[in-house]
Structures are given as structure tokens and as C-alpha cells.
Amino acid sequence: MSDIVKSLLSTAAGRIKPSPIREMFHLIRKPGMISFAGGMPDPDIFPVEQFHLGADILLEEGRDVLQYGVTEGYAPLKDFLSRWTAPKMGKEPSMDEILITSGSSQVADLMTRALLDPGDWIVCEETSFLGNTINMYNQGANFLTIPCDKDGMIVEQLPEKLSQAKSEGKKVKFIYTIPNFHNPLGCTMSLERRQALVKIAQEEGVMILEDDPYGCVRFEGEDLPTLYSLDDLGVVMYAGSFSKILAPGTRVGWAIGPKDLIRTMTVFKQGVDTCTSVVAQALVYKYCQSGNLDAFLPKIVDHYRRKRDAMEDAFKKYLPLEEVEYVTPHGGFFYWVTTPNILAEELFKRALEKKVAFVCGAPFFPNGGGEHSFRMCFTFASPEDTDRGIKALGETMREILGESKG
């Protein structure tokens, strides 16, 4: 970087953090690498043929869908989402309560822009999805973290921490949570904690961002109500995405929430990208409207269930189970593995030599920690590669443990 550029950088640019997952893509894409790192869907299950059949919408409505669109989103897609999400939302959201976004991560970005001043605080799980927390940090956020167990955020600790933050003059603007099949933890928030979390937010006068990209990818158990459906005071913003239930290349997500906040986020979006690709929205709409979303989704879920089972089987075959801790996810994409006697960074370096990659845990902790944990995505690798990769990982763990005892 030249001296001139350095002298002109903003204060924000001086503190900005990159995504460690994006930064390591050049490593995990090397030939022969078995990657459990990026949270990527399996392209083998993309509904290519079904999606392609909807391309005739470009001939039918090309003059409209190839033009700039309204920032709020393509009206037919919004109408579909209102009806399709109604069972989860507890009602059919109105058009001014829905915003189409460029992926669900943009919901977090726009909500942060709308609510946060630099130095304000956001509550999140410990750990949390680094893609969103890094963006929040880059916009000036501080983080108040709440630990998790197998039932999600330990909400019982939240009132005391909020009270302490208030006494210290900290402005807490919203609570960021991933209640279903958490990224990276794999856990799911219990019904009791969902109810308690909404009640606390209402009493404390803070918003909740309910990030739910994995909610439809459930392998077993009953669906739990969304936080949005439990809220009668308008404190919950819901974020959904087609990335995990159709394909991430569409870059189409949505926000459902209080119309005044949706309007403010829309104004920010006008300056960010004008509108989400109208072509992508129209193609997604045609796919959904023709019944393919509901028809194909069970195939996606079954496909990923088998992949989860393959990873769990490999864990039991190859890992030193007395040295590892993990929760079996009931859906989603991830295992979170903790190795109390092995540093994840050391394991990562040695695993790379055997052409196996994962994501170390530390970046998922906005306030530090996670040195003995790492995230494993089970959706991308084939079952055969999963078996080989976990075998190599187990061998590496035993090498490290043997050296430490020697």
C-alpha cells in the first residue's frame, strides 16, 4: 500500500477485520484438499434442472426483470414469502414488513447500520457467526457475550449482564442470535429460552435479530416457534435466506420485522446496492411459485442428514473420543468440536499437511477465546472424503497428544 493511500485511510479502515474463512479460501481450494472449512452447500444437491425451468420468466417479463427494481424487493417474491412464511411467523406479514436482501447477512448489515452508533453494544452468543460479528465490529460495535450449552444461549444470565451494562453506561441496541442449528455451535435454543429471551428484550427495550438460515434444514425433532412468532410488541427482526434451501449463488434473502425499522433499513439499502438483483429474485420466485421449493426441500434435508451421519460415524471410528467434546446437531451444517488438551491452531497446521482443512474456533469469539475449539462443516465433502479426512484428523490428534505426554 502506498504512503498516499495509507495517509487517506479512514479510522474505520484502520480497525477493519477480514473474514478468516474468506482469507483461507486459497488454501482450502488446493487440489486434493478435503475441506470441512467453509459452510458451503453441496453442489451435487443443487436443483439445477428445476431452477433452469424457471428461466422462461426472462422471456415473459424480460423488459421488467432486466430493469432496475424497487429497493423493497420484487413484489411477486414478497407475496410468496408472506404466504410461505406465515406458519412460522404466526401470521402473513404485510408487504411493508418484508424486505428482500442480498443474502441474510445483509439483514444483519442493514440492521446494524439502522440501530448502531460506533461504541454501542450488541449481545450475541459465545460463540457466534463470524461473518456477521466481524461486519458489526467493522461498523463500531462492542459485544456482550452470553455462553451457550446444548440448549442454546443461556438466557438466564442475560438480565444480570444487561443490568450491569446499563449501570456502566453501555448502550445495548440489540441481541443477535441464531436459535436453530447454530453456526458454529450446532445447538438449538429450547422453547423455554426462546420465550424468556423475547420477554427480556421486551422488558429491556432492546431489539432481537433472529438469524435463521438453517431453520428449514431439520433432520429430526419437532420445529420450535420462531422468536418472531412469540413477539407481540415488535422487538424481533427475522432474517431468512435461500442460500441453504436452494443455492447460495442466488444471493437472495429476506427480512421480516416492524415496518418502521424495515423502512429505515430499506433507505440504507438504497445507498448500498440500489436493489437485490431483480433477475435473481424473479428466478427464485418462479422456482418457488411452481412448487419446486417445497417439493425439493425434503431431498436436500435427507441428503444433508446422511452427510451428518457420515461425519458422526467417522468421529466415533477415528477420533480419540475421551479427548473431544461436541453436540450432535439436529439440523444445519456444523459440528463444533472442543479438544481441551489440543490447541486448534496446532491441529490445523498439521492437518493441512495431510490436506485436511477446518476453521479454528478463535475467530468465532468476538471478545477472545476458543483456542481449543474448531468448526467442522459436514455438507460439502463427500462421505468418502469425510471418512478419509476424519481418519487423518484423528491420527493428527493422537500424534499431538502423544508428543505432549512424552
Side-chain angles (χ1 to χ4, degrees):
M1 185 183 297
S2 70
D3 291 339
I4 292 176
V5 173
K6 284 182 181 179
S7 69
L8 297 175
L9 287 177
S10 66
T11 301
R15 74 191 296 270
I16 196 170
K17 291 182 180 179
S19 166
I21 297 177
R22 293 290 168 182
E23 292 289 301
M24 68 184 289
F25 260 32
H26 68 284
L27 287 175
I28 64 180
R29 290 190 170 182
K30 287 184 176 181
M33 184 70 68
I34 298 175
S35 176
F36 305 118
M40 295 188 294
D42 182 356
D44 287 344
I45 197 62
F46 289 163
V48 177
E49 182 178 348
Q50 292 85 346
F51 194 67
H52 174 263
L53 292 174
D56 58 4
I57 197 170
L58 298 178
L59 296 175
E60 299 167 359
E61 302 180 28
R63 295 172 65 89
D64 293 324
V65 301
L66 293 174
Q67 185 56 275
Y68 288 113
V70 296
T71 306
E72 290 82 353
Y74 184 58
L77 180 58
K78 291 179 67 175
D79 181 66
F80 170 83
L81 283 170
S82 176
R83 290 179 280 106
W84 188 73
T85 64
K88 282 191 172 186
M89 299 299 103
K91 65 171 187 175
E92 287 193 10
S94 63
M95 292 300 97
D96 55 5
E97 292 174 319
I98 303 174
L99 171 64
I100 305 297
T101 58
S102 300
S104 63
S105 289
Q106 192 178 55
V107 181
D109 175 72
L110 295 173
M111 186 161 168
T112 302
R113 291 171 186 265
L115 296 182
L116 216 74
D117 291 313
D120 285 347
W121 292 72
I122 295 172
V123 175
C124 67
E125 284 115 348
E126 188 182 88
T127 68
S128 192
F129 171 48
L130 60 85
N132 281 341
T133 56
I134 286 176
N135 183 33
M136 294 166 182
Y137 169 85
N138 289 340
Q139 293 193 49
N142 293 307
F143 296 95
L144 181 66
T145 59
I146 308 295
C148 297
D149 59 21
K150 64 180 181 62
D151 292 319
M153 180 192 292
I154 304 176
V155 176
E156 299 85 343
Q157 296 186 14
L158 184 56
E160 182 179 351
K161 292 200 174 186
L162 285 175
S163 177
Q164 181 179 349
K166 187 181 295 185
S167 70
E168 295 170 355
K170 297 173 180 176
K171 292 184 178 179
V172 177
K173 293 297 184 69
F174 67 89
I175 300 164
Y176 172 57
T177 181
I178 309 168
N180 294 315
F181 324 125
H182 190 279
N183 179 7
L185 298 173
C187 58
T188 296
M189 187 181 293
S190 67
L191 173 60
E192 293 74 19
R193 287 183 176 172
R194 292 171 191 242
Q195 294 168 330
L197 181 59
V198 171
K199 183 178 180 181
I200 291 167
Q202 291 176 339
E203 292 174 348
E204 295 292 335
V206 298
M207 294 292 299
I208 296 174
L209 173 54
E210 179 180 13
D211 194 7
D212 192 29
Y214 309 100
C216 291
V217 189
R218 175 178 281 280
F219 307 141
E220 63 232 8
E222 295 183 1
D223 286 333
L224 294 171
T226 61
L227 302 177
Y228 182 92
S229 70
L230 298 173
D231 171 37
D232 58 358
L233 297 182
V235 301
V236 177
M237 179 68 66
Y238 179 92
S241 174
F242 287 103
S243 291
K244 310 303 186 292
I245 58 176
L246 199 169
T250 63
R251 302 312 305 134
V252 177
W254 66 90
I256 297 176
K259 62 181 180 180
D260 291 340
L261 183 52
I262 287 287
R263 174 58 186 163
T264 302
M265 291 164 60
T266 301
V267 175
F268 275 106
K269 183 172 168 61
Q270 290 171 356
V272 171
D273 63 4
T274 305
C275 65
T276 298
S277 166
V278 186
V279 173
Q281 292 184 72
L283 289 170
V284 169
Y285 164 69
K286 194 63 181 288
Y287 174 84
C288 295
Q289 185 267 340
S290 62
N292 284 317
L293 180 64
D294 289 325
F296 203 78
L297 186 54
K299 300 176 184 178
I300 294 175
V301 174
D302 287 345
H303 184 76
Y304 290 149
R305 181 190 294 110
R306 291 194 295 272
K307 290 203 163 193
R308 181 211 53 183
D309 293 346
M311 182 167 280
E312 179 108 8
D313 289 344
F315 281 175
K316 292 175 181 177
K317 281 167 62 178
Y318 301 122
L319 297 189
L321 294 180
E322 70 280 1
E323 297 286 347
V324 299
E325 303 167 6
Y326 62 85
V327 171
T328 301
H330 291 171
F333 277 36
F334 305 108
Y335 278 89
W336 180 253
V337 182
T338 298
T339 52
N341 297 311
I342 301 174
L343 287 170
E345 191 68 33
E346 177 66 17
L347 180 62
F348 175 75
K349 291 177 182 177
R350 297 205 190 187
L352 273 185
E353 296 173 0
K354 298 182 180 182
K355 293 194 171 182
V356 177
F358 53 81
V359 183
C360 293
F364 293 97
F365 285 73
N367 292 334
E371 291 81 5
H372 291 273
S373 298
F374 55 95
R375 190 189 75 175
M376 299 280 284
C377 176
F378 55 79
T379 56
F380 184 71
S382 68
E384 295 76 20
D385 281 349
T386 293
D387 190 79
R388 288 196 298 271
I390 302 301
K391 182 179 181 181
L393 195 63
E395 292 170 352
T396 308
M397 286 182 177
R398 287 185 170 86
E399 289 170 7
I400 295 173
L401 290 167
E403 292 169 8
S404 65
K405 291 176 182 177

